[in-house]
Amino acid sequence: MGTPARREPRLPDLFDLMEMPFTTLRPFTAQAIRIEDYLDDDKYVIRAELPGIDPSRDVEISVSRGILTIRAEREERREGRRHSEFRYGTYERHVRLPDRVREEDITAAYDQGILTVTVPLQEAKEATRRIPIQH
């Protein structure tokens, strides 16, 4: 009989610790997608971490009422006895878009595990408008 393999105890990383309370409060919801976003001249850019996912098959991006939704799914592969710390299942993130968005021109690209969503912005309109009084 062989010696059992010794496994190091896995300590959760900082993001795991931050997500734990929220996961227990909503155990049946999708896992959060980690993102970064920024304004770049006339566009709003969202970058999402989605490693190991086929974007043409497993990712859906939609926009409705000023909310951009990114939804992805990674299926677990069972290949004999093994140890895995990968996360599988459904991932979802909702991002509120700025007010002056051109929703019809939103584009997305996927490269090396990063999904980049580019949201074009319209020119800012004057905030106040003078209304004439009829008499």
Side-chain angles (χ1 to χ4, degrees):
M1 197 162 156
T3 327
R6 182 172 170 217
R7 260 195 204 133
E8 295 292 322
R10 180 180 175 267
L11 297 174
D13 67 8
L14 181 59
F15 290 108
D16 288 339
L17 289 172
M18 290 172 38
E19 292 172 357
M20 273 185 211
F22 302 110
T23 307
T24 57
L25 292 175
R26 50 185 173 84
F28 299 110
T29 60
Q31 301 175 59
I33 297 171
R34 295 177 183 159
I35 66 163
E36 62 183 21
D37 62 343
Y38 56 92
L39 287 172
D40 183 24
D41 294 329
D42 59 345
K43 60 187 169 230
Y44 175 57
V45 179
I46 302 160
R47 297 180 71 227
E49 273 187 336
L50 293 173
I53 291 179
D54 180 357
S56 60
R57 186 179 55 124
D58 300 327
V59 178
E60 178 183 308
I61 304 168
S62 60
V63 63
S64 176
R65 297 182 182 152
I67 304 290
L68 180 87
T69 301
I70 302 170
R71 183 177 172 84
E73 190 164 338
R74 183 179 2 202
E75 294 181 17
E76 185 173 7
R77 296 183 192 117
R78 301 249 179 203
E79 299 167 1
R81 296 183 66 185
R82 65 186 178 93
H83 167 72
S84 176
E85 295 179 2
F86 287 5
R87 292 184 178 186
Y88 296 98
T90 303
Y91 299 82
E92 191 167 314
R93 186 68 183 253
H94 304 280
V95 179
R96 178 168 295 286
L97 297 175
D99 291 332
R100 49 193 185 100
V101 183
R102 293 195 324 250
E103 289 184 1
E104 63 279 357
D105 295 331
I106 295 174
T107 59
Y110 184 86
D111 185 39
Q112 297 183 4
I114 303 294
L115 175 72
T116 303
V117 180
T118 305
V119 182
L121 301 175
Q122 298 173 3
E123 280 190 34
K125 296 179 182 176
E126 191 174 314
T128 54
R129 185 176 66 113
R130 189 170 175 93
I131 300 171
I133 301 171
Q134 296 179 3
H135 54 151

